[in-house]
């Protein structure tokens, strides 16, 4: 890495040079960063992988990696999670994991992880693995390439690029994840996701208060609905089943 990074930086100083797509122990990452600091080697980004069953593990790992980058004087290096997806286990539970990736639970997992990563200062980018033709592709059907449930978290998140500002929630509820933004006309867009790895978790009642009265289009992504417009309403109280995503769009 030292040879490649120093040579490329000398030839192309504007290129971002980094790595190593860490897929293992943090002790190895610390050894690597310590050695690179001692040898004065540039690192513009540090990339890493994680497979898990919920966003907390992603955020915990991101914070530990951010801590190592800061410790070894790579405070300006981007932390890039460039491979992640749902996996409960690599042996007996691997088939269950693949089935989850392709269904509503996988979609809710993705939306919850995106929502938490958006709020985190420890992650600069994250890249879902995978939207190529593979068993890890929860966004598109393997045979027809038609959108699956897991496509819609990415589609919905893309809408926030049209927002001017992000609005954080004042209160957090366990296993309920939120995103909210406002566009240049003051119109709100929000996503609420109820996700936990416990398939038998009970329903939760979620009440949103945007501090104003208005009408909203409500789109539902759950086991029975796929980005369906289910109502136009001013009522923002929802009885949510586990593994459900709701898009709220002010009109």
């Amino acid at each position: 890495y030292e040879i490649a990074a120093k040579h490329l930086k000398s030839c192309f100083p504007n290129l971002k040079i980094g790595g190593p797509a860490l897929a293992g122990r943090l002790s190895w990452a610390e050894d690597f960063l310590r050695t690179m600091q001692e040898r004065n080697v540039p690192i513009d980004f540090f990339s890493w992988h994680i497979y898990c069953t919920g966003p907390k593990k992603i955020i915990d790992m991101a914070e530990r990696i951010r801590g190592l980058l800061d410790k070894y004087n790579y405070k300006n290096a981007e932390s890039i999670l460039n491979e992640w997806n749902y996996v409960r286990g690599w042996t007996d539970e691997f088939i269950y994991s693949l089935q989850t990736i392709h269904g509503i639970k996988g979609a809710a997992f993705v939306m919850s992880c995106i929502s938490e990563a958006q709020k985190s200062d420890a992650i600069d980018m994250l890249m879902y693995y995978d939207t190529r033709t593979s068993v890890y592709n929860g966004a598109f059907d393997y045979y027809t390439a038609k959108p699956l449930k897991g496509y819609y978290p990415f589609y919905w998140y893309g809408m926030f690029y049209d927002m001017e500002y992000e609005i954080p929630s004042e209160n957090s509820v366990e296993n309920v994840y939120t995103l909210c933004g406002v566009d240049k006309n003051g119109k709100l867009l929000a996503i609420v996701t109820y996700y936990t790895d416990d398939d038998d978790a009970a329903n939760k009642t979620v009440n949103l208060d945007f501090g104003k009265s208005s009408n909203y289009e409500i789109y539902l992504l759950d086991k029975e609905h796929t980005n369906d417009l289910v109502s136009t309403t001013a009522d923002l109280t929802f009885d949510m089943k586990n593994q459900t995503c709701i898009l709220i769009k002010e009109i």
Side-chain angles (χ1 to χ4, degrees):
Y1 177 82
E2 178 183 6
I3 292 170
K6 288 183 175 179
H7 175 71
L8 288 171
K9 273 296 185 182
S10 68
C11 297
F12 311 103
N14 293 327
L15 286 184
K16 289 183 179 181
I17 308 299
L22 176 75
R25 293 170 292 126
L26 280 178
S27 59
W28 185 95
E30 184 159 16
D31 289 342
F32 173 76
L33 292 170
R34 181 191 303 111
T35 304
M36 293 303 102
Q37 182 196 38
E38 291 170 353
R39 298 182 183 184
N40 196 30
V41 182
I43 298 176
D44 295 315
F45 65 86
F46 188 91
S47 54
W48 51 284
H49 302 169
I50 188 171
Y51 290 86
C52 57
T53 60
K56 185 179 185 304
K57 288 188 177 180
I58 289 178
I59 302 304
D60 288 349
M61 178 66 83
E63 290 175 350
R64 294 172 70 186
I65 288 173
R66 183 73 262 166
L68 289 175
L69 291 170
D70 293 349
K71 178 180 178 180
Y72 293 103
N73 203 30
Y74 290 108
K75 294 183 179 181
N76 294 324
E78 296 175 338
S79 176
I80 299 179
L81 173 49
N82 69 334
E83 188 171 321
W84 62 280
N85 208 328
Y86 178 97
V87 173
R88 182 184 280 185
W90 297 100
T91 53
D92 294 343
E93 294 180 313
F94 187 58
I95 291 176
Y96 174 86
S97 301
L98 294 180
Q99 291 171 331
T100 295
I101 287 171
H102 296 98
I104 183 57
K105 183 176 180 178
F109 164 81
V110 167
M111 194 69 254
S112 68
C113 292
I114 291 175
S115 299
E116 287 299 281
Q118 173 68 30
K119 296 179 176 66
S120 173
D121 293 329
I123 300 177
D124 294 288
M125 297 184 188
L126 72 164
M127 292 81 172
Y128 173 81
Y129 188 90
D130 196 357
T131 55
R132 299 176 299 174
T133 304
S134 78
V135 294
Y136 292 96
N137 186 346
F140 300 102
D141 181 76
Y142 187 93
Y143 296 101
T144 67
K146 290 184 177 180
L148 299 173
K149 303 275 189 184
Y151 165 81
Y152 292 94
F154 299 104
Y155 176 62
W156 286 4
Y157 183 73
M159 296 179 182
F160 284 86
Y161 283 88
D162 294 328
M163 298 295 106
E164 292 289 308
Y165 302 102
E166 181 180 0
I167 303 175
S169 60
E170 288 187 343
N171 301 305
S172 60
V173 179
E174 185 180 14
N175 299 322
V176 175
Y177 305 92
T178 60
L179 280 178
C180 185
V182 60
D183 67 16
K184 61 183 179 181
N185 298 314
K187 297 292 187 179
L188 287 159
L189 183 71
I191 299 173
V192 179
T193 302
Y194 174 24
Y195 169 81
T196 169
D197 194 39
D198 179 5
D199 294 328
D200 298 320
N203 289 17
K204 280 183 180 284
T205 299
V206 177
N207 179 55
L208 305 181
D209 181 5
F210 291 134
K212 63 177 181 178
S213 298
S214 190
N215 287 317
Y216 302 88
E217 292 180 341
I218 309 301
Y219 295 83
L220 186 58
L221 180 65
D222 64 7
K223 188 175 181 180
E224 291 81 25
H225 301 85
T226 305
N227 190 38
D228 295 339
L229 176 62
V230 293
S231 69
T232 300
T233 182
D235 181 7
L236 296 177
T237 300
F238 305 101
D239 180 33
M240 297 186 68
K241 296 180 293 184
N242 183 24
Q243 301 157 12
T244 294
C245 308
I246 297 174
L247 176 73
I248 302 104
K249 183 178 182 182
E250 187 178 6
I251 55 176

